[in-house]
Structures are given as C-alpha cells and as structure tokens.
Amino acid sequence: MNKESAVLQQIKSKARLLKREAFVLYFAYKDQRVAWYAKLFAICVVAYAFSPIDLIPDFIPVLGYLDDIILVPLGVWIALKLIPDEVVMDCRAKAEELLSKGKPKNWFMGTLFICVWVAFGIWITWYLYNLLLS
C-alpha cells in the first residue's frame, strides 16, 4: 500500500506541474516577446488542456486517457520550446503566484470555450448533413 501511495503522490505532483505549465502558456500567450506562431500554438494547447471536451472521449477504454497522458504534455513541451526562456521564467513566476492564491475561475473564458465547441459541433453537423444529402 505504501508503494501505491508513493505512485499516487508522484502522479498528483506531475498533474500539478502540468497545470502550472498550462498557466505558463496562458501568460506567455499574452506576452509581446512571443512570436505569433508560438502564441497560436500555446493558446491551442491551453484551450485543449482546459476544455471539457477531449479529442478521444475518456469513456473509451485506454485510448480515452491517451490524449490526457500523451497529447497534452507533448503539446505543452513543444509550446514551451517555441517560447524564449526569459519569457517562460517570467510566466512561471506569474503562474506560481496565481496558483498560490487558489484555483482561478474565469467564467468568460469558460463560456467562450463552450461556445466555440458548440459552434464547431453545429458546423460539423451541417457539413455532414450537406455531404450526405447531396
């Protein structure tokens, strides 16, 4: 049981680090020193990481968690490589400060993400409807 507890603690630690890095990317997106392509990639990674909708739904055995285990960390790693080191260090300090104050809530961004996913779903449905009926 002690070994399981240690593994669980390690997983929780990695999850906290990943969450912090997602906030680092969010702050880097707002920084003027970051190139536009890095900003675009960073905001896509942040949107996917915080989105309640996954590329592969979690209820699918094994594959459902694959995106959470591989795609999000890989996206964060690539995005951090695209951002200058001094910006990453500044943004890490901001992220640490934000997370030390408690879990942030941004209802506007949450609503925006939901609206984007709903619009995407409507567009896909409309596209498939026209494709199948024409």
Side-chain angles (χ1 to χ4, degrees):
M1 183 113 175
N2 192 10
K3 193 181 261 188
E4 291 173 4
S5 178
V7 170
L8 185 59
Q9 284 302 110
Q10 187 177 16
I11 290 171
K12 285 182 181 181
S13 174
K14 297 276 186 190
R16 276 191 292 274
L17 178 66
L18 188 60
K19 183 178 181 178
R20 185 197 72 189
E21 296 300 286
F23 279 108
V24 168
L25 292 179
Y26 172 73
F27 286 123
Y29 166 75
K30 294 179 171 188
D31 197 299
Q32 298 299 320
R33 300 173 286 177
V34 178
W36 68 268
Y37 57 88
K39 286 182 178 187
L40 179 64
F41 190 77
I43 202 64
C44 288
V45 170
V46 170
Y48 187 75
F50 289 132
S51 173
I53 300 171
D54 289 338
L55 184 62
I56 304 168
D58 289 341
F59 63 82
I60 298 174
V62 181
L63 293 177
Y65 292 104
L66 199 59
D67 62 341
D68 296 329
I69 295 170
I70 295 174
L71 290 180
V72 173
L74 182 63
V76 168
W77 180 76
I78 292 170
L80 289 173
K81 293 293 181 189
L82 295 173
I83 299 168
D85 290 338
E86 61 274 1
V87 175
V88 172
M89 290 187 326
D90 292 346
C91 293
R92 277 198 181 121
K94 289 179 186 177
E96 285 292 334
E97 181 182 334
L98 179 71
L99 292 173
S100 69
K101 294 178 183 176
K103 187 175 181 180
K105 293 179 181 70
N106 189 335
W107 295 106
F108 174 75
M109 288 305 289
T111 303
L112 181 64
F113 283 130
I114 290 170
C115 289
V116 167
W117 281 111
V118 168
F120 179 71
I122 291 170
W123 177 77
I124 284 289
T125 303
W126 176 80
Y127 179 77
L128 291 175
Y129 177 78
N130 287 329
L131 183 70
L132 295 174
L133 292 180
S134 25

